[in-house]
Amino acid sequence: MPAAEKGAPVNELLEGLATTRTIRRYTDDPVEEHDLVQILWHATRAPSGSNRQHVRYIVLRDSEPALQARAALGRAARAAWQHKEAADGYGAGSGTVADSPKSRMAATMQHYVEHFHEAPVIVVVCLLRYREANPYEGASVYPAVQNLLLAARGLGFGGAVTMWHSLVEQELRELLQIPAEAALSACVTLGRPAGRHGPVRRRPLSEVVFDGQWGEAAEWALDPPGTQFTGWK
Ligand SMILES: Cc1cc2nc3c(=O)[nH]c(=O)nc-3n(C[C@H](O)[C@H](O)[C@H](O)COP(=O)(O)O)c2cc1C
């Protein structure tokens, strides 16, 4: 392979890392099986401790148990957002200003939770435990979740990671016959973005990278020109 071609995919990969946003609004387009299988195949390429590969994916489409699980998740999403909206003061401060980032975020979230159960695909990601629950077990699941999002992105889809399944976990376990030894790690909605991907906003490198010891500024760690940062918390 010529050197130029060898380098190109890496740049596309980095571009994908920098621009894969959380997508919470979807068109009505389905995620066809030939795309779904690619997304899942790439998710399963993620690393895991000792390569144990204990991640399991329950794909919710339109079977009867899936529809019931979707309904339960939709209820959980609405309850969780209702709580967060009040607790985090989305209706106060700049949240009252039309078109402010905060009020736009609130509108996006409201739309998301109202339509959560209708997401083209929902994937419940589980970890099949082989030892006692421990603080590090997520390390073997979340790389796969990120791979799943990036693979979806690569195929023109988008998704959102959510933790709202925890509110209806017992119901999901019964509906989907999830064994006791499987932990429910994430619930990911997927679909064709109604909006678009684009540069994600994060804290500046100068705030989050230390040189050699905690708190020591890393003078060389500069964001590339044009980087956009999170504006509010
Ligand atoms: C562990 C984890 C849990 C998350 N939980 C939720 C959630 O419950 N609901 C939701 O709408 N988004 C959730 N998100 C998405 C984050 O809110 C999102 O990644 C973050 O705000 C940054 O936005 P961006 O991905 O568009 O840059 C979660 C993301 C992660 C990694």
Side-chain angles (χ1 to χ4, degrees):
M1 186 187 284
E5 276 180 39
K6 243 185 182 172
V10 175
N11 293 338
E12 283 177 21
L13 178 59
L14 296 183
E15 167 80 10
L17 295 185
T19 61
T20 299
R21 287 182 181 159
T22 293
I23 298 294
R24 299 186 176 90
R25 286 178 193 258
Y26 310 108
T27 68
D28 291 335
D29 293 351
V31 184
E32 304 283 3
E33 282 178 359
H34 60 89
D35 287 320
L36 203 44
V37 68
Q38 279 221 60
I39 293 169
L40 290 162
W41 188 84
H42 284 91
T44 60
R45 301 308 93 181
S48 59
S50 303
N51 205 11
R52 280 201 172 87
Q53 302 170 59
H54 277 197
V55 185
R56 298 292 179 268
Y57 308 83
I58 308 175
V59 179
L60 303 182
R61 296 194 294 164
D62 54 8
S63 68
E64 192 47 42
L67 292 175
Q68 290 185 34
R70 281 171 171 274
L73 286 163
R75 266 188 277 115
R78 287 186 288 281
W81 168 241
Q82 196 177 26
H83 176 78
K84 188 175 168 62
E85 188 180 21
D88 291 1
Y90 273 87
S94 66
T96 59
V97 179
D99 223 32
S100 68
K102 200 169 170 181
S103 62
R104 273 189 280 128
M105 186 65 188
T108 297
M109 291 300 290
Q110 188 62 39
H111 182 276
Y112 185 43
V113 301
E114 278 170 14
H115 296 273
F116 193 96
H117 60 289
E118 301 166 342
V121 170
I122 301 178
V123 184
V124 179
V125 186
C126 301
L127 174 69
L128 198 48
R129 287 195 175 115
Y130 64 95
R131 60 182 173 194
E132 292 275 291
N134 68 77
Y136 308 110
E137 65 181 11
S140 279
V141 180
Y142 299 116
V145 172
Q146 183 66 2
N147 265 24
L148 190 142
L149 291 176
L150 291 169
R153 170 79 202 283
L155 294 168
F157 298 97
V161 179
T162 72
M163 293 291 148
W164 295 327
H165 58 275
S166 59
L167 298 177
V168 287
E169 177 168 335
Q170 202 43 47
E171 200 175 339
L172 293 176
R173 284 186 179 280
E174 285 162 23
L175 282 169
L176 305 174
Q177 304 191 23
I178 302 172
E181 60 273 26
L184 278 67
S185 306
C187 177
V188 183
T189 52
L190 290 174
R192 190 78 69 191
R196 65 175 76 132
H197 283 283
V200 298
R201 292 170 191 256
R202 300 290 184 254
R203 306 307 310 161
L205 284 185
S206 58
E207 275 185 27
V208 300
V209 179
F210 302 140
D211 199 2
Q213 66 179 58
W214 185 271
E216 198 61 44
E219 309 290 354
W220 43 267
L222 301 173
D223 294 277
T227 301
Q228 299 173 3
F229 303 105
T230 39
W232 59 280
K233 291 184 185 179

PDB file of all heavy atoms in Angstrom, residues 3 14 39 66 68 95 113 125 137 139 146 155 159 163 176 198 211 213 227 233:
ATOM      1  N   ALA A   3       2.441   4.904   0.722  1.00  0.00           N
ATOM      2  CA  ALA A   3       2.491   5.567   2.030  1.00  0.00           C
ATOM      3  C   ALA A   3       1.289   6.493   2.254  1.00  0.00           C
ATOM      4  O   ALA A   3       0.711   6.533   3.335  1.00  0.00           O
ATOM      5  CB  ALA A   3       3.786   6.351   2.148  1.00  0.00           C
ATOM      6  N   LEU A  14      -9.133   9.867  13.289  1.00  0.00           N
ATOM      7  CA  LEU A  14      -9.018  10.996  14.222  1.00  0.00           C
ATOM      8  C   LEU A  14     -10.156  11.992  14.012  1.00  0.00           C
ATOM      9  O   LEU A  14     -10.705  12.539  14.980  1.00  0.00           O
ATOM     10  CB  LEU A  14      -7.656  11.686  14.055  1.00  0.00           C
ATOM     11  CG  LEU A  14      -6.437  10.820  14.404  1.00  0.00           C
ATOM     12  CD1 LEU A  14      -5.156  11.634  14.270  1.00  0.00           C
ATOM     13  CD2 LEU A  14      -6.547  10.232  15.798  1.00  0.00           C
ATOM     14  N   ILE A  39     -22.116  -2.536  12.708  1.00  0.00           N
ATOM     15  CA  ILE A  39     -21.944  -1.748  13.928  1.00  0.00           C
ATOM     16  C   ILE A  39     -21.563  -2.674  15.091  1.00  0.00           C
ATOM     17  O   ILE A  39     -20.623  -2.419  15.842  1.00  0.00           O
ATOM     18  CB  ILE A  39     -23.237  -0.949  14.241  1.00  0.00           C
ATOM     19  CG1 ILE A  39     -23.455   0.122  13.173  1.00  0.00           C
ATOM     20  CG2 ILE A  39     -23.189  -0.345  15.634  1.00  0.00           C
ATOM     21  CD1 ILE A  39     -24.827   0.808  13.216  1.00  0.00           C
ATOM     22  N   ALA A  66     -39.187  -6.771  23.081  1.00  0.00           N
ATOM     23  CA  ALA A  66     -38.431  -5.540  22.775  1.00  0.00           C
ATOM     24  C   ALA A  66     -39.341  -4.320  22.891  1.00  0.00           C
ATOM     25  O   ALA A  66     -38.937  -3.286  23.425  1.00  0.00           O
ATOM     26  CB  ALA A  66     -37.817  -5.624  21.380  1.00  0.00           C
ATOM     27  N   GLN A  68     -41.978  -4.022  24.727  1.00  0.00           N
ATOM     28  CA  GLN A  68     -42.269  -3.768  26.147  1.00  0.00           C
ATOM     29  C   GLN A  68     -41.065  -3.145  26.841  1.00  0.00           C
ATOM     30  O   GLN A  68     -41.202  -2.251  27.681  1.00  0.00           O
ATOM     31  CB  GLN A  68     -42.667  -5.072  26.834  1.00  0.00           C
ATOM     32  CG  GLN A  68     -44.038  -5.553  26.374  1.00  0.00           C
ATOM     33  CD  GLN A  68     -44.496  -6.791  27.129  1.00  0.00           C
ATOM     34  OE1 GLN A  68     -44.203  -6.952  28.300  1.00  0.00           O
ATOM     35  NE2 GLN A  68     -45.207  -7.672  26.444  1.00  0.00           N
ATOM     36  N   GLY A  95     -31.372  29.335  30.865  1.00  0.00           N
ATOM     37  CA  GLY A  95     -32.395  28.386  30.403  1.00  0.00           C
ATOM     38  C   GLY A  95     -33.694  29.079  30.025  1.00  0.00           C
ATOM     39  O   GLY A  95     -34.520  28.519  29.298  1.00  0.00           O
ATOM     40  N   VAL A 113     -36.515  12.327  25.190  1.00  0.00           N
ATOM     41  CA  VAL A 113     -37.217  11.427  26.108  1.00  0.00           C
ATOM     42  C   VAL A 113     -38.646  11.135  25.637  1.00  0.00           C
ATOM     43  O   VAL A 113     -39.151  10.032  25.842  1.00  0.00           O
ATOM     44  CB  VAL A 113     -37.199  11.932  27.572  1.00  0.00           C
ATOM     45  CG1 VAL A 113     -35.772  12.079  28.067  1.00  0.00           C
ATOM     46  CG2 VAL A 113     -37.975  13.216  27.768  1.00  0.00           C
ATOM     47  N   VAL A 125     -26.508  -2.819  26.584  1.00  0.00           N
ATOM     48  CA  VAL A 125     -25.164  -3.420  26.638  1.00  0.00           C
ATOM     49  C   VAL A 125     -24.942  -3.979  28.048  1.00  0.00           C
ATOM     50  O   VAL A 125     -25.133  -3.267  29.040  1.00  0.00           O
ATOM     51  CB  VAL A 125     -24.075  -2.385  26.298  1.00  0.00           C
ATOM     52  CG1 VAL A 125     -22.712  -3.061  26.223  1.00  0.00           C
ATOM     53  CG2 VAL A 125     -24.395  -1.677  24.976  1.00  0.00           C
ATOM     54  N   GLU A 137     -14.903  -2.883  36.602  1.00  0.00           N
ATOM     55  CA  GLU A 137     -15.479  -3.763  35.584  1.00  0.00           C
ATOM     56  C   GLU A 137     -15.969  -2.998  34.354  1.00  0.00           C
ATOM     57  O   GLU A 137     -15.983  -3.540  33.252  1.00  0.00           O
ATOM     58  CB  GLU A 137     -16.580  -4.654  36.162  1.00  0.00           C
ATOM     59  CG  GLU A 137     -17.792  -3.908  36.652  1.00  0.00           C
ATOM     60  CD  GLU A 137     -18.831  -4.860  37.239  1.00  0.00           C
ATOM     61  OE1 GLU A 137     -18.538  -6.045  37.449  1.00  0.00           O
ATOM     62  OE2 GLU A 137     -19.952  -4.387  37.491  1.00  0.00           O
ATOM     63  N   ALA A 139     -14.425  -0.950  32.770  1.00  0.00           N
ATOM     64  CA  ALA A 139     -13.308  -0.801  31.835  1.00  0.00           C
ATOM     65  C   ALA A 139     -13.369  -1.839  30.720  1.00  0.00           C
ATOM     66  O   ALA A 139     -12.776  -1.636  29.654  1.00  0.00           O
ATOM     67  CB  ALA A 139     -11.980  -0.909  32.589  1.00  0.00           C
ATOM     68  N   GLN A 146     -18.056   2.711  23.070  1.00  0.00           N
ATOM     69  CA  GLN A 146     -17.514   3.786  22.224  1.00  0.00           C
ATOM     70  C   GLN A 146     -17.274   3.276  20.797  1.00  0.00           C
ATOM     71  O   GLN A 146     -17.549   3.982  19.827  1.00  0.00           O
ATOM     72  CB  GLN A 146     -16.233   4.358  22.843  1.00  0.00           C
ATOM     73  CG  GLN A 146     -15.627   5.524  22.084  1.00  0.00           C
ATOM     74  CD  GLN A 146     -16.491   6.787  22.069  1.00  0.00           C
ATOM     75  OE1 GLN A 146     -17.548   6.829  22.670  1.00  0.00           O
ATOM     76  NE2 GLN A 146     -16.047   7.806  21.360  1.00  0.00           N
ATOM     77  N   LEU A 155     -20.885   4.692   9.521  1.00  0.00           N
ATOM     78  CA  LEU A 155     -21.881   4.249   8.543  1.00  0.00           C
ATOM     79  C   LEU A 155     -22.986   5.282   8.347  1.00  0.00           C
ATOM     80  O   LEU A 155     -24.013   4.999   7.733  1.00  0.00           O
ATOM     81  CB  LEU A 155     -22.484   2.914   9.003  1.00  0.00           C
ATOM     82  CG  LEU A 155     -21.481   1.749   9.010  1.00  0.00           C
ATOM     83  CD1 LEU A 155     -22.056   0.552   9.752  1.00  0.00           C
ATOM     84  CD2 LEU A 155     -21.118   1.361   7.579  1.00  0.00           C
ATOM     85  N   GLY A 159     -25.676   8.054  17.715  1.00  0.00           N
ATOM     86  CA  GLY A 159     -26.279   7.430  18.884  1.00  0.00           C
ATOM     87  C   GLY A 159     -26.025   8.194  20.154  1.00  0.00           C
ATOM     88  O   GLY A 159     -25.306   9.196  20.171  1.00  0.00           O
ATOM     89  N   MET A 163     -27.928   5.958  30.764  1.00  0.00           N
ATOM     90  CA  MET A 163     -27.859   5.099  31.958  1.00  0.00           C
ATOM     91  C   MET A 163     -29.248   4.933  32.574  1.00  0.00           C
ATOM     92  O   MET A 163     -29.375   4.465  33.687  1.00  0.00           O
ATOM     93  CB  MET A 163     -26.927   5.737  32.990  1.00  0.00           C
ATOM     94  CG  MET A 163     -25.491   5.780  32.562  1.00  0.00           C
ATOM     95  SD  MET A 163     -24.789   4.121  32.523  1.00  0.00           S
ATOM     96  CE  MET A 163     -23.626   4.308  31.194  1.00  0.00           C
ATOM     97  N   LEU A 176     -36.575  -9.275  29.355  1.00  0.00           N
ATOM     98  CA  LEU A 176     -35.555  -9.703  28.384  1.00  0.00           C
ATOM     99  C   LEU A 176     -34.795 -10.940  28.850  1.00  0.00           C
ATOM    100  O   LEU A 176     -33.836 -11.365  28.206  1.00  0.00           O
ATOM    101  CB  LEU A 176     -34.582  -8.542  28.116  1.00  0.00           C
ATOM    102  CG  LEU A 176     -35.258  -7.239  27.649  1.00  0.00           C
ATOM    103  CD1 LEU A 176     -34.242  -6.100  27.555  1.00  0.00           C
ATOM    104  CD2 LEU A 176     -35.951  -7.436  26.300  1.00  0.00           C
ATOM    105  N   GLY A 198     -20.436  16.871  14.399  1.00  0.00           N
ATOM    106  CA  GLY A 198     -19.554  18.033  14.255  1.00  0.00           C
ATOM    107  C   GLY A 198     -18.621  18.057  15.441  1.00  0.00           C
ATOM    108  O   GLY A 198     -18.735  17.205  16.336  1.00  0.00           O
ATOM    109  N   ASP A 211       1.691  17.594  33.716  1.00  0.00           N
ATOM    110  CA  ASP A 211       3.000  17.116  33.266  1.00  0.00           C
ATOM    111  C   ASP A 211       3.779  16.531  34.446  1.00  0.00           C
ATOM    112  O   ASP A 211       4.264  17.269  35.296  1.00  0.00           O
ATOM    113  CB  ASP A 211       3.779  18.288  32.646  1.00  0.00           C
ATOM    114  CG  ASP A 211       4.922  17.802  31.765  1.00  0.00           C
ATOM    115  OD1 ASP A 211       5.090  16.577  31.606  1.00  0.00           O
ATOM    116  OD2 ASP A 211       5.645  18.652  31.229  1.00  0.00           O
ATOM    117  N   GLN A 213       3.297  15.388  37.322  1.00  0.00           N
ATOM    118  CA  GLN A 213       2.619  15.236  38.613  1.00  0.00           C
ATOM    119  C   GLN A 213       1.335  16.063  38.617  1.00  0.00           C
ATOM    120  O   GLN A 213       1.187  16.997  37.824  1.00  0.00           O
ATOM    121  CB  GLN A 213       3.509  15.658  39.775  1.00  0.00           C
ATOM    122  CG  GLN A 213       3.840  17.142  39.807  1.00  0.00           C
ATOM    123  CD  GLN A 213       4.703  17.498  40.999  1.00  0.00           C
ATOM    124  OE1 GLN A 213       5.780  16.949  41.159  1.00  0.00           O
ATOM    125  NE2 GLN A 213       4.229  18.402  41.826  1.00  0.00           N
ATOM    126  N   THR A 227     -10.150  24.929  18.047  1.00  0.00           N
ATOM    127  CA  THR A 227     -10.861  24.021  18.955  1.00  0.00           C
ATOM    128  C   THR A 227     -11.950  24.787  19.707  1.00  0.00           C
ATOM    129  O   THR A 227     -11.711  25.902  20.175  1.00  0.00           O
ATOM    130  CB  THR A 227      -9.879  23.402  19.977  1.00  0.00           C
ATOM    131  OG1 THR A 227      -8.866  22.690  19.277  1.00  0.00           O
ATOM    132  CG2 THR A 227     -10.596  22.448  20.926  1.00  0.00           C
ATOM    133  N   LYS A 233     -21.589  24.690  32.356  1.00  0.00           N
ATOM    134  CA  LYS A 233     -21.685  23.373  33.002  1.00  0.00           C
ATOM    135  C   LYS A 233     -23.052  23.181  33.593  1.00  0.00           C
ATOM    136  O   LYS A 233     -23.655  24.130  34.036  1.00  0.00           O
ATOM    137  CB  LYS A 233     -20.634  23.256  34.089  1.00  0.00           C
ATOM    138  CG  LYS A 233     -19.247  23.181  33.524  1.00  0.00           C
ATOM    139  CD  LYS A 233     -18.240  22.976  34.632  1.00  0.00           C
ATOM    140  CE  LYS A 233     -16.833  23.016  34.086  1.00  0.00           C
ATOM    141  NZ  LYS A 233     -15.821  22.863  35.082  1.00  0.00           N
TER     142      LYS A 233
END
